[in-house]
Amino acid sequence: ALDVAAACARWPSLRELEDEVRRAHPDSVLAARAVTEISAKYPTVDGLQRRLVSLRRRWPVLRERLQGQLLSPDTLRRMIAAAGAPADPAEIGLSLPQLHASYAAARQIRRRYTVLDLAFEAGIFSPVVDTLFQPDGFWGQTAASVAQRAW
């Protein structure tokens, strides 16, 4: 269902992305570094179109491979907890609004291309991340579970 033409039509200029990065990172040193990183992986509209057309063509095989390799969020959470590491954002002093904002920041601070970049380029980043924080989404359910345990 990926609409390549629509994604390309709404693709921001590099200048617009740089401005967004600067607004997201009040620390000027971090903002400058994030601008460097986001610029390094910024595709032109033509490059974006090629990437998304290729993705759409390869998606059935890629999807099957991913389904066979990726662990469920609950499995990952159990593994993290079993290792003695923090498995909940509150355990490291992070609120859900801070966690929500961190998804966009995470995409901006490394030049490595990730699923966050793919979602942004496809034009589904915000709706997908927002879904995680809905009451029936992963983080929404997590917050309800934590609140229940605290009560």
Side-chain angles (χ1 to χ4, degrees):
L2 176 60
D3 187 341
V4 174
C8 290
R10 68 177 166 263
W11 187 238
S13 69
L14 181 55
R15 174 65 180 200
E16 290 169 320
L17 282 180
E18 290 172 347
D19 290 345
E20 177 186 320
V21 168
R22 286 186 186 94
R23 285 190 301 274
H25 302 283
D27 178 275
S28 62
V29 174
L30 181 57
R33 182 66 184 163
V35 164
T36 299
E37 296 301 305
I38 204 83
S39 299
K41 63 181 174 180
Y42 177 81
T44 64
V45 173
D46 289 341
L48 175 66
Q49 181 180 20
R50 284 191 302 277
R51 181 180 291 160
L52 294 178
V53 166
S54 177
L55 173 67
R56 191 172 54 196
R57 183 177 19 84
R58 296 176 180 182
W59 182 247
V61 171
L62 182 58
R63 180 175 159 188
E64 186 176 317
R65 286 181 58 198
L66 290 170
Q67 286 175 332
Q69 294 176 3
L70 297 177
L71 301 173
S72 74
D74 290 331
T75 299
L76 287 171
R77 180 183 292 270
R78 284 192 301 274
M79 291 171 72
I80 290 169
D88 186 273
E91 293 178 272
I92 58 170
L94 199 59
S95 70
L96 286 182
Q98 290 170 314
L99 179 64
H100 190 280
S102 76
Y103 277 82
R107 191 183 68 72
Q108 297 171 347
I109 60 172
R110 303 273 318 263
R111 69 182 65 196
R112 181 183 312 150
Y113 188 84
T114 71
V115 69
L116 300 175
D117 297 299
L118 173 60
F120 184 79
E121 291 176 0
I124 61 171
F125 180 85
S126 292
V128 167
V129 172
D130 291 348
T131 298
L132 293 170
F133 292 86
Q134 296 297 319
D136 61 341
F138 181 77
W139 292 116
Q141 291 176 359
T142 298
S145 174
V146 168
Q148 222 173 20
R149 284 193 308 261
W151 194 78

